[in-house]
Amino acid sequence: MTIKEANVTINVRDMEAAISFYLSIGLTVKNRWDNYYAQLSAPGITIGLHPTSNGNLKGNSGNVSLGFTSDDIEETRSSLEKLSIAVTERSEEGGQFLHFTDPDGTALYFIKSKWG
């Protein structure tokens, strides 16, 4: 079996709001099929956005966390603040983290890793 490419799909209530949010934090639209499905990408990841029926998110496990690396955590924090995105900061042995959520509550974070 050979995997050609992969993505993580997130169920969303409002496709336009979700796309706008992910564009604002630096992803780009790779493909979009009207309001049925969209793929957004950043280096090393493709995220699929799929609308839920009747705005219901019961299909979400709530156990997904998507991480993005940053070389300048201060600049990233400032950019998120300018977008009015609430951030929780955390530092540990592995690096500095900025935790936040998308409009549907999906856990996201930026990390400036101490390991490269």
Side-chain angles (χ1 to χ4, degrees), residues 32-89:
R32 181 165 183 186
W33 297 270
D34 199 28
N35 276 334
Y36 300 106
Y37 192 74
Q39 290 179 318
L40 290 91
S41 62
I45 190 168
T46 298
I47 297 172
L49 300 177
H50 188 276
T52 61
S53 59
N54 300 322
N56 186 349
L57 290 179
K58 288 183 181 176
N60 272 357
S61 68
N63 293 322
V64 174
S65 176
L66 301 174
F68 309 98
T69 59
S70 173
D71 288 332
D72 188 338
I73 206 76
E74 298 301 323
E75 178 186 9
T76 301
R77 179 189 306 106
S78 176
S79 295
L80 293 171
E81 287 173 356
K82 287 178 186 172
L83 294 167
S84 300
I85 297 172
V87 174
T88 302
E89 298 180 49

Side-chain angles (χ1 to χ4, degrees), residues 10-29 32 35 38-40 47-52 57 85 101-106 108:
I10 301 171
N11 293 316
V12 299
R13 288 184 188 96
D14 182 327
M15 194 71 135
E16 292 303 323
I19 290 171
S20 178
F21 175 83
Y22 283 99
L23 290 174
S24 78
I25 64 167
L27 280 79
T28 58
V29 175
R32 181 165 183 186
N35 276 334
Q39 290 179 318
L40 290 91
I47 297 172
L49 300 177
H50 188 276
T52 61
L57 290 179
I85 297 172
T101 61
D102 76 3
D104 292 295
T106 302
L108 306 167

